[in-house]
């Protein structure tokens, strides 16, 4: 039987999307499963790995097979990608010890600072190791039961194959316990921190085959036993693929739950078989933790869903650039780039009784755009082509604002997404394609170009300068506020 189909599973912060693609780029089926984030207190961000990730992936696979009518034996392989890095702790039987702690969780501020002071290593609040130490110090019973730590995509690979794994890209951002030159774990560093190195999974490259679908997983999903499962990786790699951002000099702004700015100094073809973010060919230029999510927060938490996104966009679009003097600092979960500050908070500045929900909405869109520009100017590389994607990019006004703020042309591809890129990565791993150019030139044909408006761009230059000044002026107040909490 000819195997010409590929499954891609994208594990996001608020949903899992599964797609079934044919080798010509036809989307034969797709399914999205929504789930909740657990936030017990400010700074804590968790998820139930079994009920969110595995149930979502299993239902997505079943739905794609049912929708398409494709025989499971025709599927050449499956790959998962996802948000990273996360701390998904499993016990000796492979069951979650507790809810997974997500990348955007800020609970380990004290542990990260202490480790950095003691060892001089550059820990960040997204890293797994400070969070593991937090578990050891605050949830010792849970910590003592941990046999393995996985990420979202490697958890799905485990559920499908029974094999533990971590791809090298994720190992490199695990938290100062990986040697990027030798490509090995550093167990002695785990021990120096006071952590058990047994929790570190076997290492794979993103396009390695971890194993094949087990009989048990086949019964749960409808897949054929023996179907190859690709290691996969974090969503930053696969969204480059899924948006056709594959050549040197190309960049991507991805407005998912977080807003991410990526750039390529080398083509993905030149880095095939490695991890682009380890060898330096791909770079993180910026990250806004509440990027795309900030609009959902405003509509659902502040407006109680009483106003539609369409109405908000229309109201915001009717206003001039600069939201008539209203500025937003979009740091609802802290600031990651260009200067990490976990104590940073969201701010509305310049608010008057003449401002409406439309003003606030526009200021939030502009605030994210300013934050992306600040990071890009601090870490930027020359970009000849800039793509915009993610759920937030569906907003035409937001696309235009970002083009104006950056003074750069944007390419928007309506059918681009992470799950598509993850499926294509599986095809590359299985030798079905000989170049990443194919995904850009054949799988992603429909494109729209957004050009900056010169008048708005000039206005935004002045607004951005004020945003930078405001961001710097208010920073000391975050520490004072933290002392009041």
């Amino acid at each position: 039987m000819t195997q010409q189909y590929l499954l891609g599973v994208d594990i996001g912060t608020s949903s899992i999307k599964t797609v079934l693609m044919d080798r010509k780029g036809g989307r034969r089926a797709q399914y999205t499963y929504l789930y909740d984030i657990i936030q017990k207190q400010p700074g804590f961000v968790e998820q139930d790995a079994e009920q969110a990730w595995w149930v979502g992936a299993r239902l997505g696979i079943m739905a794609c097979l049912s929708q398409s009518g494709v025989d499971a034996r025709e599927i050449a392989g499956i790959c998962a990608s996802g948000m990273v890095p996360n701390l998904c702790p499993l016990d000796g039987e492979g069951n979650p010890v507790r809810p997974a702690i997500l990348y955007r969780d800020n609970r380990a501020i004290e542990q990260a600072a202490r480790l950095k002071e003691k060892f001089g290593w550059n820990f960040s609040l997204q890293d797994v190791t400070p969070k593991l130490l937090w578990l050891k110090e605050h949830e010792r019973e849970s910590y003592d039961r941990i046999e393995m730590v996985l990420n979202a995509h490697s958890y799905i690979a485990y559920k499908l194959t029974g094999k533990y794994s971590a791809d090298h890209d994720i190992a490199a951002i695990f938290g100062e316990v990986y040697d990027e030159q030798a490509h090995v774990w550093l167990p002695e560093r785990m021990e120096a921190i006071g952590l058990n190195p047994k929790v570190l999974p076997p290492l794979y490259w993103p396009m390695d085959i971890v194993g094949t679908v087990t009989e048990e997983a086949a019964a749960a999903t409808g897949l054929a036993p023996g179907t190859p499962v690709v290691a996969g990786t974090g969503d930053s790699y696969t969204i480059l693929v899924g948006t056709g951002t594959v050549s040197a000099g190309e960049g991507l702004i991805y407005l998912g739950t977080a807003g991410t700015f990526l750039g390529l100094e080398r083509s993905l073809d030149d880095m095939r078989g490695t991890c682009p973010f380890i060898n330096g060919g791909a770079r993180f230029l910026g990250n806004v933790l509440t990027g795309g999510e900030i609009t959902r927060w405003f509509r659902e938490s502040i407006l109680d869903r009483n106003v539609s996104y369409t109405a908000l966009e229309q109201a915001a679009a009717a206003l001039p650039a600069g939201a008539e003097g209203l500025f937003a600092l979009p740091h609802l979960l802290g600031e990651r780039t260009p200067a990490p500050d976990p104590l940073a908070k969201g701010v509305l500045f310049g608010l008057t009784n003449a401002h409406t929900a439309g003003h606030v909405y526009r200021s939030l869109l502009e605030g994210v755009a300013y934050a992306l520009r600040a990071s890009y100017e601090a870490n930027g590389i020359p970009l000849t082509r800039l793509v915009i994607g993610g759920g937030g990019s569906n907003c035409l006004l937001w696309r235009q604002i970002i083009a104006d703020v950056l003074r750069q042309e944007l390419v928007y591809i309506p059918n681009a997404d992470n799950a598509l890129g993850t499926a294509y990565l599986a095809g590359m791993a299985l030798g079905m394609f000989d170049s990443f150019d194919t995904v850009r030139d054949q799988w992603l044909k429909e494109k729209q170009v957004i050009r900056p408006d010169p008048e708005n761009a000039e206005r935004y230059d002045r607004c951005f300068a004020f945003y930078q000044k405001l961001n710097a002026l208010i920073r000391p107040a975050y520490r004072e506020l933290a002392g009041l909490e």
Side-chain angles (χ1 to χ4, degrees):
M1 183 172 289
T2 304
Q3 294 180 316
Q4 58 178 329
Y5 298 99
L6 297 161
L7 273 167
V9 181
D10 169 36
I11 307 157
T13 308
S14 56
S15 67
I16 284 184
K17 186 174 185 178
T18 305
V19 297
L20 179 65
M21 307 292 297
D22 64 39
R23 67 184 305 152
K24 293 183 178 180
R27 193 181 299 245
R28 300 299 297 270
Q30 68 179 44
Y31 182 85
T32 299
Y33 178 80
L34 303 176
Y35 41 68
D36 294 325
I37 296 172
I38 304 167
Q39 294 183 283
K40 297 177 181 177
Q41 64 187 73
F44 283 40
V45 187
E46 302 178 349
Q47 218 145 52
D48 186 321
E50 180 76 18
Q51 294 302 313
W53 303 345
W54 174 235
V55 168
R58 185 172 59 81
L59 292 177
I61 294 166
M62 294 170 64
C64 283
L65 291 172
S66 175
Q67 290 174 25
S68 66
V70 167
D71 189 315
R73 293 172 295 174
E74 294 182 88
I75 295 175
I78 180 172
C79 182
S81 65
M83 51 175 176
V84 293
N86 306 305
L87 195 171
C88 178
L90 305 183
D91 62 21
E93 297 180 352
N95 297 315
V97 168
R98 67 178 313 285
I101 301 176
L102 300 196
Y103 66 98
R104 57 214 302 255
D105 184 288
N106 287 333
R107 75 184 64 197
I109 293 176
E110 190 273 331
Q111 286 75 17
R114 189 190 335 145
L115 291 174
K116 186 173 183 179
E117 181 180 358
K118 181 176 181 179
F119 297 107
W121 304 333
N122 288 319
F123 291 97
S124 77
L125 290 182
Q126 72 173 358
D127 292 344
V128 171
T129 43
K131 292 168 185 171
L132 259 178
L133 186 58
W134 186 95
L135 283 181
K136 183 178 180 180
E137 294 174 353
H138 293 271
E139 297 181 10
R140 187 56 187 256
E141 183 179 353
S142 293
Y143 174 83
D144 287 342
R145 293 171 54 208
I146 299 173
E147 290 291 324
M148 189 60 57
V149 169
L150 300 181
N151 271 269
H153 63 285
S154 53
Y155 180 71
I156 298 305
Y158 165 71
K159 296 293 286 186
L160 291 171
T161 66
K163 303 285 185 64
Y164 293 131
S165 65
D167 66 282
H168 288 275
D169 198 18
I170 300 316
I173 57 172
F174 201 89
E176 298 296 335
V177 292
Y178 174 81
D179 187 327
E180 294 188 13
Q181 307 304 316
H183 306 307
V184 295
W185 290 117
L186 298 170
E188 66 275 11
R189 285 196 171 189
M190 288 285 283
E191 292 170 347
I193 292 169
L195 300 172
N196 194 330
K198 72 175 182 179
V199 305
L200 301 173
L203 290 167
Y204 293 82
W205 295 105
M207 288 191 282
D208 285 346
I209 306 299
V210 170
T212 59
V213 173
T214 64
E215 294 284 351
E216 181 181 2
T221 62
L223 290 169
T227 303
V229 179
V230 178
T233 186
D235 52 11
S236 294
Y237 186 174
T238 51
I239 195 53
L240 287 171
V241 180
T243 56
T245 309
V246 299
S247 295
E250 295 184 340
L252 169 67
I253 292 173
Y254 190 76
L255 294 175
T257 301
T260 306
F261 202 148
L262 306 171
L264 285 175
E265 293 187 292
R266 297 169 57 196
S267 74
L268 293 186
D269 279 342
D270 286 344
M271 299 181 284
R272 193 183 317 177
T274 67
C275 291
F277 294 97
I278 292 179
N279 62 32
R283 290 177 52 191
F284 287 95
L285 306 180
N287 183 268
V288 183
L289 285 172
T290 44
E293 185 191 24
I294 204 164
T295 58
R296 181 205 59 79
W297 162 79
F298 179 62
R299 178 179 176 267
E300 295 184 9
S301 298
I302 305 302
L303 299 181
D304 200 25
R305 303 186 181 185
N306 289 320
V307 184
S308 69
Y309 286 115
T310 300
L312 285 169
E313 184 175 353
Q314 289 174 344
L319 298 168
E324 295 186 326
L326 185 60
F327 285 79
L329 304 184
H331 313 317
L332 276 64
L333 284 174
E335 189 175 11
R336 279 280 163 86
T337 61
D341 187 351
L343 298 179
K345 298 291 188 290
V347 175
L348 284 176
F349 184 82
L351 190 64
T352 72
N353 62 358
H355 288 126
T356 65
H359 287 87
V360 176
Y361 195 72
R362 182 167 189 125
S363 75
L364 294 174
L365 303 185
E366 292 174 341
V368 171
Y370 298 146
L372 290 170
R373 176 171 168 176
S375 295
Y376 181 47
E377 290 191 353
N379 302 290
I381 58 177
L383 297 175
T384 57
R385 180 175 182 263
L386 183 55
V387 180
I388 188 166
S393 69
N394 293 332
C395 174
L396 173 61
L397 174 61
W398 210 351
R399 299 199 300 268
Q400 187 64 57
I401 286 173
I402 292 173
D404 293 343
V405 168
L406 295 181
R407 285 184 171 269
Q408 186 140 354
E409 187 177 278
L410 301 179
V411 177
Y412 173 64
I413 308 169
N415 66 324
D417 62 43
N418 213 324
L420 179 149
T422 306
Y424 192 87
L425 195 72
M428 287 290 287
L430 296 166
M432 295 174 67
F433 313 110
D434 58 10
S435 172
F436 282 104
D437 289 347
T438 303
V439 72
R440 180 191 59 211
D441 300 335
Q442 297 182 26
W443 280 35
L444 299 168
K445 295 180 180 179
E446 185 182 353
K447 300 176 178 67
Q448 299 173 13
V449 177
I450 302 95
R451 295 179 175 84
D453 177 279
E455 184 176 339
N456 284 346
E458 184 176 345
R459 167 69 177 163
Y460 279 133
D461 281 345
R462 298 193 298 273
C463 290
F464 174 68
F466 182 81
Y467 168 91
Q468 291 282 70
K469 183 177 181 180
L470 176 63
N471 207 31
L473 283 171
I474 205 166
R475 193 176 298 279
Y478 297 141
R479 278 126 192 87
E480 188 173 348
L481 178 62
L484 297 175
E485 293 177 347

